[in-house]
Amino acid sequence: AQSVAQPEDQVNVAEGNPLTVKCTYSVSGNPYLFWYVQYPNRGLQFLLKYITGDNLVKGSYGFEAEFNKSQTSFHLKKPSALVSDSALYFCAVRPYNAGNMLTFGGGTRLMVKP
Amino acid sequence: DTGVSQDPRHKITKRGQNVTFRCDPISEHNRLYWYRQTLGQGPEFLTYFQNEAQLEKSRLLSDRFSAERPKGSFSTLEIQRTEQGDSAMYLCASSLEGRSNEQYFGPGTRLTVT
């Protein structure tokens, strides 16, 4: 069975500084990896995904993520954080060849301070 | 608005009552998913439809839960004899066919069982 770990419950960063939200996964075979963001009282919004190819994936709102197969990681990054990036971020995995459900991590709250 | 919609947004019910939630997916999406999210946790998969066929069900989906998608468009999730442990946010998502395709989530229905 697949699993996702987000080791930090909360990440604090100052506006304008780079941010990283960590994600590691466990899955049999090759993974499809996703990042979603959740704002208060709203549903999850898709940010980006890794399917195959280039390990650096670019997504919405200036976010990017780096797939590292040897470390089974898919960390979310942004070069310069905005206060409006403050939200709950979820990493999710789906095996390449089994099932259609997403398995989510527990989420990381990002707080960007002015 | 052409996103995933869910109704109602909030439901308060007494223990033992039945509740039904509705999800309207993005119109061209033939796949529809239900997830449950409790406070401080990531979403957990409940079930998945391709068109009108229910193809996967989680062990979380007890006998008190039933989901339908009769015409391959909207879906309903019914919980019979609700328990306090059923209190959660119930999320619906839809996607195009294909494991690499991202799922788009609705705003969720928050259920409170008193």
Side-chain angles (χ1 to χ4, degrees), chain B residues 55 83 99-100 113:
Chain B
L55 298 184
E83 302 173 355
R99 289 198 182 88
S100 66
V113 182

Short mmCIF file of all heavy atoms in Angstrom, two decimals, chain B residues 55 83 99-100 113:
data_model
loop_
_atom_site.label_atom_id
_atom_site.label_comp_id
_atom_site.label_asym_id
_atom_site.label_seq_id
_atom_site.Cartn_x
_atom_site.Cartn_y
_atom_site.Cartn_z
N LEU B 55 -16.35 1.45 -9.22
CA LEU B 55 -15.25 0.53 -9.50
C LEU B 55 -14.34 0.26 -8.32
O LEU B 55 -13.65 -0.77 -8.30
CB LEU B 55 -14.41 1.06 -10.68
CG LEU B 55 -15.15 1.17 -12.01
CD1 LEU B 55 -14.20 1.61 -13.11
CD2 LEU B 55 -15.83 -0.14 -12.38
N GLU B 83 -23.41 8.23 13.01
CA GLU B 83 -22.72 8.15 14.29
C GLU B 83 -21.85 9.39 14.45
O GLU B 83 -21.49 10.03 13.45
CB GLU B 83 -21.86 6.88 14.34
CG GLU B 83 -22.64 5.60 14.13
CD GLU B 83 -21.73 4.39 14.01
OE1 GLU B 83 -20.49 4.55 13.99
OE2 GLU B 83 -22.28 3.26 13.92
N ARG B 99 -4.97 7.72 -15.34
CA ARG B 99 -4.40 7.83 -14.00
C ARG B 99 -3.55 9.07 -13.84
O ARG B 99 -3.36 9.55 -12.74
CB ARG B 99 -3.57 6.60 -13.67
CG ARG B 99 -4.39 5.36 -13.45
CD ARG B 99 -3.58 4.31 -12.72
NE ARG B 99 -4.35 3.10 -12.53
CZ ARG B 99 -4.41 2.12 -13.42
NH1 ARG B 99 -3.72 2.20 -14.53
NH2 ARG B 99 -5.15 1.05 -13.20
N SER B 100 -3.02 9.61 -14.93
CA SER B 100 -2.17 10.78 -14.80
C SER B 100 -2.96 12.07 -14.67
O SER B 100 -2.40 13.11 -14.38
CB SER B 100 -1.23 10.88 -16.00
OG SER B 100 -1.98 11.13 -17.18
N VAL B 113 -22.48 15.49 13.40
CA VAL B 113 -23.45 14.58 14.01
C VAL B 113 -23.45 14.84 15.51
O VAL B 113 -22.43 14.72 16.18
CB VAL B 113 -23.10 13.11 13.73
CG1 VAL B 113 -24.15 12.20 14.34
CG2 VAL B 113 -22.99 12.86 12.23
#
